Amino acid sequence: MSDSATPDVTADDAARALADIDLVTARVRQSRIYLLTSSALILWGPLIALGYAVTQFWPSKAMLIWPVCHLTGLALTTRLALRTPGERSRRNTLTVVSGLLILIAFGLVWSVVLGRMGPREMSAFWPMLFMLAYTVAGLWLGRVFVALGLGISALALAGYFWAGTWFDLYMAVINGGGLLLCGLWMRRA
Amino acid sequence: MAKANETIHQSVRLRIMAALCAGEPGDGGLDFTQLKSMTGATDGNLGSHLDTLARAGYISVEKSFVNRKPNTRVTATRTGRRAFADHVAFLRGVIEGNSDAE
């Protein structure tokens, strides 16, 4: 070890080194967030697409498929959180799962109890609720989350007005496919 | 008072240690490809700096096969984390003008 050797370090050198450290630290943290989020998006994308596809072709099964999709997604996300290496990271991921539960509870209160929405409104409301969370989280986590949140929300709104009777199939592609594609992109980023 | 650490102060090694210490102990560290992208070093350059840090006892390098492909996993040791923290304290000290390096 060469701890005892003391290189000449000026204040400028030190400032540059600290800036370098900050940059690398931020990059590593972002890459870990992307990796974890990408796994969650890749897992939720197909579940959401399945939910919308069933709603489109077998509307009477919608009340059955959505709880199944959400519970499966929550169970798999919890498993993912518990397998995250590192105590602090695991705790943070479990906090995200708690956030998901709060969003689902909020969504149920408004879509079923207070809002009394129709099937089409429900199909637009749920993705926009989750995308709102992505957009807000993106203010801290990075622009890609904001882009994902706003992009899917805008497309959901457009579909609500213009996709006609194929709205749920459109949402399967836009929402399920959007989450999956974004997850795959984050994995490579 | 904190002292400069010549092993860590070299720019690529500083980036390697910063990347490895960005996570928490027990998080599995980073693999060679991730470190390459974080530090901007070439394969050979990174390998040689990893050797230096491993010889100093600052990192541990584990080679294995993942999906039949060779995988090199690098983690910061406890000694490495402490040395890195001391070096960061030294750098802050230099900026604040109370280090013995200048």
Side-chain angles (χ1 to χ4, degrees), chain A residues 28-104:
Chain A
V28 171
R29 290 197 176 143
Q30 181 155 61
S31 129
R32 284 183 193 276
I33 289 169
Y34 274 18
L35 190 65
L36 201 63
T37 310
S38 76
S39 304
L41 293 179
I42 289 169
L43 159 137
W44 277 96
L47 284 172
I48 297 293
L50 174 73
Y52 278 115
V54 169
T55 307
Q56 175 74 56
F57 295 110
W58 298 278
S60 61
K61 304 270 189 245
M63 291 302 275
L64 175 73
I65 192 67
W66 282 112
V68 169
C69 287
H70 280 129
L71 287 174
T72 308
L74 276 172
L76 292 175
T77 311
T78 307
R79 184 164 166 259
L80 184 75
L82 292 172
R83 286 179 156 200
T84 307
E87 181 81 20
R88 200 175 50 215
S89 308
R90 200 159 34 246
R91 248 193 340 259
N92 286 343
T93 319
L94 283 170
T95 307
V96 173
V97 175
S98 314
L100 276 177
L101 283 170
I102 292 168
L103 272 182
I104 290 173

Side-chain angles (χ1 to χ4, degrees), chain A residues 2-3 9 20 27 88-89, chain B residues 7 15 24 38 56 58 102:
Chain A
S2 45
D3 291 20
V9 180
D20 228 14
R27 220 186 275 169
R88 200 175 50 215
S89 308
Chain B
T7 307
R15 281 188 219 142
E24 55 183 317
M38 298 295 166
Y58 293 162
E102 284 188 293

Side-chain angles (χ1 to χ4, degrees), chain A residues 71-153:
Chain A
L71 287 174
T72 308
L74 276 172
L76 292 175
T77 311
T78 307
R79 184 164 166 259
L80 184 75
L82 292 172
R83 286 179 156 200
T84 307
E87 181 81 20
R88 200 175 50 215
S89 308
R90 200 159 34 246
R91 248 193 340 259
N92 286 343
T93 319
L94 283 170
T95 307
V96 173
V97 175
S98 314
L100 276 177
L101 283 170
I102 292 168
L103 272 182
I104 290 173
F106 176 86
L108 282 173
V109 167
W110 273 99
S111 62
V112 179
V113 183
L114 298 174
R116 299 183 192 283
M117 297 175 187
R120 195 176 180 87
E121 285 71 31
M122 292 267 254
S123 291
F125 168 76
W126 281 98
M128 289 181 78
L129 174 66
F130 283 100
M131 290 307 123
L132 170 70
Y134 272 97
T135 309
V136 173
L139 298 176
W140 288 271
L141 299 180
R143 275 174 292 184
V144 66
F145 288 89
V146 177
L148 175 72
L150 291 181
I152 291 185
S153 295

Side-chain angles (χ1 to χ4, degrees), chain B residues 49-92:
Chain B
H49 286 300
L50 288 179
D51 280 346
T52 306
L53 289 167
R55 273 200 307 276
Y58 293 162
I59 61 167
S60 76
V61 180
E62 274 178 46
K63 296 186 182 204
S64 61
F65 282 87
V66 176
N67 298 329
R68 296 185 184 174
K69 288 181 185 163
N71 181 266
T72 303
R73 196 108 204 133
V74 187
T75 48
T77 62
R78 190 182 289 189
T79 313
R81 284 181 181 273
R82 203 168 41 232
F84 179 71
D86 287 346
H87 188 64
V88 170
F90 160 78
L91 293 172
R92 293 213 171 104

Side-chain angles (χ1 to χ4, degrees), chain B residues 11-27:
Chain B
S11 67
V12 176
R13 293 199 287 269
L14 184 78
R15 281 188 219 142
I16 293 171
M17 290 307 293
L20 295 175
C21 295
E24 55 183 317
D27 67 359

